[in-house]
Amino acid sequence: MAPHEVLRRAACFRVDDLEKVWGHSVRKTQIEKLSTEELIEKIRTLSAERWPAIHAGRPKEANRMFDLLVAIERELRARGIEAQRQLLKLLDDPDPGTRCWVAGSVLEFAPSEGERVLTEIAKHVDGLVGFSAERTLQEWKAGTFKPL
């Protein structure tokens, strides 16, 4: 396969081009058919599995999980604030990766809860999850954080 073909295929899975991922009719249809509770559970499992994939050097797998997480969050946003508020119960999840993802997600409608969890993770969790929480907080406080 030619190098430019590899790059073209990889571009379909990047956050920079989410409309291609979101516009994929099968995936979008599958996500739309799930109940809010099922979407919340998908966020819990995908966000917990994403960090081990990153640490294990499986970026394609981690990127696909990221793209699905973003698509699910967009679906929750489309369903309204009550659907989004269901994310709050994941702020106490035992997995720091899940808590970090969800804390960043709730900043736009529950900023104090999101900040509290991100601060806790940044102080007590080492590695990429702690770093991610710290950077998310910095961007949020600087006014440059953009929800997905």
Side-chain angles (χ1 to χ4, degrees), residues 12-15 18 21 63-71:
C12 292
F13 293 104
R14 293 304 330 133
V15 70
L18 280 176
V21 173
N63 288 343
R64 279 191 288 272
M65 289 180 203
F66 177 87
D67 292 337
L68 284 169
L69 284 162
V70 171

Side-chain angles (χ1 to χ4, degrees), residues 51-58:
W51 291 104
I54 291 169
H55 288 293
R58 298 188 314 265

Side-chain angles (χ1 to χ4, degrees), residues 40-108:
I40 298 300
E41 180 60 20
K42 290 279 186 198
I43 286 179
R44 189 189 67 73
T45 57
L46 287 168
S47 60
E49 293 170 358
R50 185 171 161 261
W51 291 104
I54 291 169
H55 288 293
R58 298 188 314 265
K60 286 183 181 181
E61 183 180 341
N63 288 343
R64 279 191 288 272
M65 289 180 203
F66 177 87
D67 292 337
L68 284 169
L69 284 162
V70 171
I72 292 168
E73 282 200 27
R74 284 186 171 190
E75 177 61 24
L76 289 173
R77 190 176 289 123
R79 292 182 186 191
I81 190 67
E82 288 307 313
Q84 287 180 287
R85 292 191 65 75
Q86 295 299 311
L87 288 167
L88 293 172
K89 61 186 170 188
L90 294 179
L91 289 176
D92 295 320
D93 193 86
D95 185 82
T98 296
R99 289 194 318 272
C100 185
W101 179 272
V102 172
S105 300
V106 304
L107 285 172
E108 64 182 317

